[in-house]
Amino acid sequence: MSNKDIISVNLKVWRQDGPNDKGRFEDYSLKEVNTHMSFLEMLDVLNENLMKEQKQPVEFDHDCREGICGSCNLVINGIPHGPEARTAACQLHMRHFNDGDTITIEPWRATAFPVIKDLVVDRNAFDRIMAAGGYVTVATGNAPDANAIPISKIDADSAMDYAVCIGCGACVAACPNSSASLFTGAKVAQLSKLPQGAPERKQRVKAMVEQMDKEGFGDCSNFAECEAVCPVGISITSIATMRTEYVKAMFS
Amino acid sequence: MEVADKTTFKWDSKIPTGPLTEKWKTHKNNVKLVNPSNKRKYNILVVGTGLAGASAAASLGELGYNVKAFCIQDSARRAHSIAAQGGINAAKNYQNDGDSIWRLFYDTIKGGDYRAREANVYRLAEVSNNIIDQCVAQGVPFAREYGGTLDNRSFGGAQVSRTFYARGQTGQQLLLGAYSALMKMVHSGKVEVRTREEMLDLVTVDGTAKGIISRNLVTGKIERHAADAVLLCTGGYGNVFYLSTNAKNSNVTAAWRCYRKGALFANPSFTQIHPTCIPVSGEYQSKLTLMSESLRNDGRVWVPKAQGDKRHPNEIPEEERDYYLERIYPSFGNLVPRDVASRNAKNVCDEGRGVGESGLAVYLDFADAIKRDGEKAIRDRYGNLFEMYQKITDENPYEVPMRIYPAVHYTMGGLWVDYNLMTTVPGLFALGEANFSDHGANRLGASALMQGLADGYFVIPYTIGNYLTEVTPGEVDTTHKAFDEAEQSITAEIEKVLNIKGSKTILDFHRQLGKIMWDKVGMSRDEQGLKEAIEEISALRKEFWSDVFVPGQPATYNKYLEYALRVADFLELGELMARDALDRPESCGGHFREESKTPEGEAKRDDENYTHVSAWEFTGVDKAPVHHREPLIFENVKLTQRSYK
């Protein structure tokens, strides 16, 4: 391992004891950070150091660490998931930082995502949007043969482009209005591309959009910040689809 | 911890009589049905919301039962099933290439090296087709042909194309399908999902499962939940090795607490070590990342012929490379099953021919495939995997061969269950990776998703009725003294671990356990190493309980407290795994004993003495468990030595 693979960084980390605490930034410095580490591994090292001094570690959500579960939710230097495009924070590596850098780490900030502790937020609002209508009603055992309904490859591929949403909430964190339109639109758009979604398409879009409003997410003003930070590249065409579907549902 | 009352154990795997192909049909006709108006009187707890848990909770809710589902993540959608890449098998024979339920059954039982039950595996193959139908109906966007029909690929050495897939994110799409069905039932009020809540104990009354004790991970509050049945869908325990492809929060705790309450643990040492993972890069490494084995359809595995050859791979001429899988296994080549591929990678690295900085890696080279089919074709097939590899390693696999090494991926062992998926504790069921039943000593690619969904959608909705008809609903509530005792014991345990205030971090212990497991209970095992492992783990456990530092308070959000309790259980499980491996001196599937190999160095089974399931009964921490054996009876397939030459 050569010396250029080792850097030192200064961290400004958001600490908040609970939902009612005001919260503040705390400064830490980390020496000997290997640039092949992932960002979360760097936080592991920080926490190990803190615990060796019998101090409270920084709480942050994480699980799969391969960019698919959607657990991690760090705003790094002002950008949800950090500086690398199409990369969840868990897949971000320290080689994208320089020796001596100061890195600011904050949680998602949105009314609908209250902070639980430090960098951990409550994203159950997304579950409630899904429960409002993000499904096809088909009880187990009722399905026809899988090849009974042919679906063109183009439609299936397009549905998949929207279906890959990992539900992390970076779109909300990046949006000046804290809108959940990209998240909600992705599910509406996926099911609007498929014949299975057709029977419920009207009530689905209405129910999901209404739930989104009820949760306290803002409206979409076409900033497109959501698309820019989405770690899996969901397109804002999903929002256009959601709006078209919504208007159609309201006036038919 | 109290030892359950059970002192004797009588086998009853409850396998229906009759010919193999009729068993499940007959059983479904004979199971007792719960009257629709009575279903709402029964409360069922489903622990875990991965493929098995979400599909079970949704399906049971649809039937009219009251269901509470628990997950440790902040949403049911984050369970680790989401990370499965490659695909899901089904015997649809859409490709007209000769597939059938029988062939899927046979491949699975042979792939498991004849250490699984015929009847369970046949049922799995039988319901595989229903799973695909169900998922397509939910709107899962599987890959399709231009004509609009579903596409299939060959996977993991299968001779037919039976694997359905959704790009490299099949697990994600199947889980989101099951999650959407679950959320639909939440909306209808039949299912309650409790997120960030972890089961810490099973509550039994007269040896029967009647509820759980859980911890609210946000507030730290200990909660009681009473029920008429408990379904354990908590996945596997690969994180006992510290480094694995499992998510960081995957753990054995819920299953382990059931073991301590009398559920037998079957074949705990049967671990799958997946051959194509990104190698370890340093001490800070927190987890390993899998590269789908579909890559072996086009990538060629090789190492330099000479030891210690440190040249850049592109500078090593063709004649100085050893494509060892193609050399040793001319008929299967790079597509040999996972256990065989992993062991051979270890062998060449042990010979000093491993590559990369650590010498613990082999090349997976796409140069020939790119030359043959063009870079675009390879990008279409594996684009997202190549991108992920480049993100992690900073190397471009279109230009430089990938470096891969085996990593712990899946655990075939788990709680012992009968044909109805019920454990030895009446009322406690285990589904998916948490049970032991279908994969024998080695799981085939694209079969984990199949089993999780089979158990949840198509097995438990039938078999649970048989049990419930014998139970008076709501017999026990949370005021029962069994709940008092269980809660007190958990509260005391949490206080104890927080009060040690020792000098080593939880991670120090977990890493040390992982090293013992990998070195001595990993890809190859021998008597001496296993005996050492038992001693070392036992000593490490004692050290943990006297010198670990766990930060914070019990009644707050405290991820390191959660982690400490899980590592404490891994420190007990690791020892049981070593005992299990020690008591099986044969090699089979992923379990390789140095003492039992063919003259060519391949795994050698001992069917005469070890055609059985090992199931372990808890007798107390630091006490030897009781070893029970369930004989495996093969009436339909002939046991053969697996050969991929």
Side-chain angles (χ1 to χ4, degrees):
Chain A
M1 200 72 52
S2 62
N3 279 339
K4 71 175 172 47
D5 293 333
I6 304 293
I7 58 172
S8 295
V9 291
N10 303 306
L11 304 174
K12 277 179 97 66
V13 183
W14 185 258
R15 304 299 306 256
Q16 184 173 339
D17 294 339
N20 300 321
D21 180 37
K22 226 174 107 212
R24 73 269 165 207
F25 280 106
E26 277 184 20
D27 296 334
Y28 304 97
S29 81
L30 268 189
K31 305 203 181 330
E32 307 212 340
V33 174
N34 188 310
T35 55
H36 296 292
M37 269 182 199
S38 73
F39 197 83
L40 301 190
E41 284 167 347
M42 184 272 294
L43 288 182
D44 291 341
V45 173
L46 170 69
N47 279 347
E48 284 296 294
N49 291 352
L50 288 172
M51 284 187 286
K52 278 174 184 152
E53 296 165 25
Q54 308 235 333
K55 288 183 181 156
Q56 289 302 305
V58 178
E59 299 284 3
F60 62 98
D61 259 328
H62 63 93
D63 201 13
C64 79
R65 299 201 176 192
E66 28 187 287
I68 191 80
C69 77
S71 292
C72 57
N73 60 316
L74 304 176
V75 176
I76 301 165
N77 287 341
I79 304 168
H81 290 306
E84 278 291 293
R86 293 200 57 172
T87 303
C90 64
Q91 294 288 81
L92 176 68
H93 283 70
M94 294 309 292
R95 64 180 75 96
H96 301 291
F97 296 91
N98 297 313
D99 192 31
D101 276 0
T102 295
I103 306 171
T104 307
I105 308 171
E106 298 166 82
W108 286 175
R109 294 189 193 277
T111 313
F113 289 161
V115 171
I116 292 173
K117 192 174 180 188
D118 295 341
L119 303 168
V120 176
V121 301
D122 177 348
R123 284 172 287 191
N124 282 101
F126 271 10
D127 284 337
R128 291 188 289 269
I129 293 173
M130 281 292 291
Y135 45 78
V136 172
T137 299
V138 51
T140 305
N142 281 346
D145 183 81
N147 261 346
I149 310 166
I151 299 170
S152 82
K153 181 169 166 34
I154 293 161
D155 286 339
D157 284 351
S158 168
M160 183 66 186
D161 289 339
Y162 296 120
V164 294
C165 168
I166 61 173
C168 63
C171 45
V172 175
C175 177
N177 303 347
S178 298
S179 172
S181 291
L182 194 72
F183 169 80
T184 311
K187 188 48 71 179
V188 169
Q190 176 202 338
L191 293 175
S192 77
K193 293 282 174 191
L194 298 170
Q196 295 92 322
E200 295 167 286
R201 71 193 298 164
K202 287 178 195 159
Q203 66 262 41
R204 172 181 308 115
V205 69
K206 277 200 270 186
M208 291 180 78
V209 169
E210 278 159 22
Q211 189 65 38
M212 181 170 74
D213 292 344
K214 216 187 313 179
E215 296 290 346
F217 294 106
D219 281 336
C220 170
S221 314
N222 292 326
F223 290 106
E225 294 285 344
C226 53
E227 185 185 74
V229 299
C230 177
V232 291
I234 305 284
S235 159
I236 52 165
T237 54
S238 62
I239 300 179
T241 303
M242 179 177 74
R243 286 175 163 166
T244 315
E245 292 285 317
Y246 187 73
V247 171
K248 275 195 216 158
M250 293 305 281
F251 294 99
S252 64
Chain B
M1 173 83 38
E2 291 254 332
V3 182
D5 290 334
K6 187 186 300 292
T7 49
T8 55
F9 177 71
K10 209 167 138 276
W11 290 109
D12 188 359
S13 53
K14 303 227 171 71
I15 293 171
T17 51
L20 182 67
T21 55
E22 299 303 310
K23 283 181 195 290
W24 179 231
K25 287 183 206 116
T26 315
H27 192 60
K28 281 196 289 184
N29 289 336
N30 292 340
V31 289
K32 293 177 199 122
L33 299 175
V34 180
N35 181 304
S37 62
N38 281 341
K39 282 190 178 129
R40 72 175 75 98
K41 298 177 186 159
Y42 287 100
N43 291 310
I44 300 172
L45 306 181
V46 179
V47 185
T49 59
L51 287 178
S55 60
S59 303
L60 294 173
E62 286 162 4
L63 288 174
Y65 297 110
N66 293 315
V67 180
K68 261 192 236 175
F70 298 80
C71 70
I72 54 176
Q73 298 88 350
D74 71 325
S75 166
R77 65 180 289 155
R78 307 208 200 282
H80 193 52
S81 306
I82 204 143
Q85 298 168 357
I88 177 166
N89 286 330
K92 284 283 195 185
N93 192 30
Y94 282 159
Q95 305 306 320
N96 197 32
D97 56 1
D99 200 10
S100 63
I101 290 169
W102 175 267
R103 277 191 201 274
L104 177 54
F105 153 72
Y106 181 76
D107 288 353
T108 308
I109 206 123
K110 178 188 172 199
D113 226 358
Y114 307 99
R115 292 294 175 263
R117 284 189 200 131
E118 277 189 342
N120 286 60
V121 178
Y122 194 85
R123 174 176 67 190
L124 175 66
E126 220 175 335
V127 303
S128 66
N129 292 337
N130 304 92
I131 297 170
I132 303 302
D133 299 341
Q134 187 65 32
C135 296
V136 166
Q138 289 167 345
V140 170
F142 282 119
R144 287 182 183 262
E145 302 279 7
Y146 281 98
T149 54
L150 291 156
D151 189 20
N152 293 114
R153 61 183 173 200
S154 159
F155 198 79
Q159 310 279 48
V160 291
S161 288
R162 62 161 73 103
T163 303
F164 294 79
Y165 66 101
R167 291 188 194 149
Q169 291 113 302
T170 316
Q172 181 198 27
Q173 294 309 311
L174 296 178
L175 182 62
L176 292 182
Y179 163 78
S180 71
L182 179 67
M183 296 322 281
K184 177 190 72 182
M185 294 319 295
V186 168
H187 189 63
S188 76
K190 287 307 291 180
V191 180
E192 180 193 353
V193 175
R194 300 179 70 101
T195 59
R196 294 196 199 265
E197 189 160 332
E198 179 165 25
M199 169 176 167
L200 289 180
D201 208 356
L202 178 74
V203 178
T204 57
V205 175
D206 300 328
T208 300
K210 288 294 176 190
I212 66 168
I213 300 290
S214 63
R215 180 168 177 271
N216 178 322
L217 301 181
V218 176
T219 62
K221 189 168 180 290
I222 303 298
E223 310 264 5
R224 303 173 177 200
H225 302 277
D228 302 298
V230 177
L231 273 52
L232 211 75
C233 312
T234 49
Y237 47 86
N239 275 343
V240 67
F241 288 85
Y242 177 55
L243 287 180
S244 83
T245 66
N246 287 185
K248 290 300 288 176
N249 295 308
S250 299
N251 68 84
V252 78
T253 288
W256 194 252
R257 302 304 168 108
C258 294
Y259 166 68
R260 301 218 294 194
K261 284 287 173 87
L264 299 197
F265 210 114
N267 298 336
S269 70
F270 285 179
T271 308
Q272 178 159 82
I273 310 225
H274 195 289
T276 52
C277 300
I278 300 178
V280 175
S281 70
E283 176 68 18
Y284 51 78
Q285 188 102 22
S286 63
K287 78 151 284 170
L288 296 170
T289 302
L290 178 84
M291 293 275 100
S292 169
E293 86 181 308
S294 61
L295 291 168
R296 286 196 282 144
N297 287 338
D298 284 297
R300 297 179 71 194
V301 177
W302 65 275
V303 289
K305 281 186 177 164
Q307 287 181 359
D309 188 339
K310 288 284 168 205
R311 283 177 291 176
H312 188 278
N314 293 349
E315 285 165 13
I316 299 180
E318 200 60 27
E319 62 276 12
E320 291 177 43
R321 300 175 175 191
D322 179 12
Y323 294 91
Y324 57 90
L325 290 177
E326 298 171 22
R327 171 173 60 79
I328 305 172
Y329 308 97
S331 66
F332 276 70
N334 295 298
L335 293 175
V336 290
R338 292 174 175 178
D339 53 339
V340 178
S342 292
R343 259 196 309 277
N344 279 280
K346 178 181 188 298
N347 290 346
V348 295
C349 291
D350 287 350
E351 288 163 24
R353 299 195 287 143
V355 301
E357 205 157 320
S358 65
L360 290 174
V362 300
Y363 290 125
L364 180 64
D365 196 336
F366 292 87
D368 286 344
I370 290 171
K371 210 182 292 167
R372 184 184 67 225
D373 300 338
E375 187 172 316
K376 185 181 176 303
I378 297 301
R379 196 179 295 275
D380 285 348
R381 270 172 234 166
Y382 312 113
N384 63 328
L385 297 170
F386 277 41
E387 205 178 298
M388 181 154 80
Y389 180 85
Q390 187 160 10
K391 258 180 205 164
I392 294 173
T393 63
D394 206 22
E395 287 175 1
N396 179 357
Y398 293 99
E399 289 163 8
V400 183
M402 280 185 182
R403 283 172 298 110
I404 55 163
Y405 198 63
V408 172
H409 179 55
Y410 186 89
T411 46
M412 283 75 70
L415 294 183
W416 184 92
V417 289
D418 64 16
Y419 191 71
N420 295 319
L421 303 182
M422 191 154 86
T423 68
T424 49
V425 175
L428 174 69
F429 296 78
L431 282 66
E433 192 179 351
N435 75 28
F436 87 106
S437 71
D438 294 356
H439 305 296
N442 175 52
R443 179 176 65 74
L444 290 182
S447 287
L449 304 183
M450 173 170 69
Q451 189 222 339
L453 291 179
D455 287 357
Y457 284 134
F458 296 110
V459 179
I460 198 71
Y462 293 90
T463 58
I464 200 168
N466 238 8
Y467 172 74
L468 291 176
T469 47
E470 310 279 311
V471 175
T472 313
E475 235 173 0
V476 170
D477 66 25
T478 55
T479 59
H480 193 283
K481 72 172 184 354
F483 279 93
D484 297 338
E485 287 163 11
E487 181 177 333
Q488 279 157 15
S489 127
I490 291 302
T491 308
E493 186 187 341
I494 289 172
E495 268 173 37
K496 185 177 168 195
V497 82
L498 281 166
N499 287 331
I500 299 169
K501 300 271 179 240
S503 67
K504 286 172 77 175
T505 65
I506 308 156
L507 188 61
D508 290 335
F509 286 99
H510 198 182
R511 269 203 193 113
Q512 216 173 323
L513 172 66
K515 185 163 167 32
I516 300 171
M517 295 300 293
W518 182 248
D519 289 345
K520 295 178 176 167
V521 199
M523 267 188 286
S524 89
R525 301 151 172 191
D526 62 37
E527 187 181 335
Q528 193 198 334
L530 290 166
K531 284 182 172 162
E532 286 166 9
I534 292 169
E535 294 300 315
E536 289 168 26
I537 295 167
S538 166
L540 189 63
R541 189 169 59 238
K542 290 190 181 80
E543 196 190 340
F544 175 91
W545 283 105
S546 62
D547 197 23
V548 72
F549 173 74
V550 183
Q553 304 301 320
T556 58
Y557 189 92
N558 187 345
K559 237 184 196 9
Y560 283 90
L561 171 61
E562 300 165 24
Y563 183 37
L565 297 174
R566 294 170 193 163
V567 171
D569 288 339
F570 281 138
L571 283 163
E572 293 179 21
L573 166 73
E575 186 182 324
L576 183 70
M577 290 171 73
R579 283 181 190 279
D580 183 54
L582 183 64
D583 276 7
R584 189 179 284 277
E586 65 159 353
S587 294
C588 60
H591 169 65
F592 189 79
R593 282 289 298 264
E594 288 297 332
E595 299 92 338
S596 180
K597 51 189 177 191
T598 64
E600 299 94 42
E602 299 293 333
K604 193 168 145 228
R605 287 199 323 267
D606 177 354
D607 292 333
E608 203 175 313
N609 296 304
Y610 298 100
T611 309
H612 62 242
V613 174
S614 289
W616 298 86
E617 182 182 350
F618 181 74
T619 59
V621 182
D622 299 322
K623 284 193 193 144
V626 180
H627 187 181
H628 301 276
R629 294 169 182 83
E630 178 198 351
L632 290 167
I633 296 153
F634 293 91
E635 294 170 330
N636 299 276
V637 300
K638 196 169 153 280
L639 275 60
T640 56
Q641 193 71 33
R642 288 192 304 160
S643 171
Y644 298 96
K645 300 239 169 188

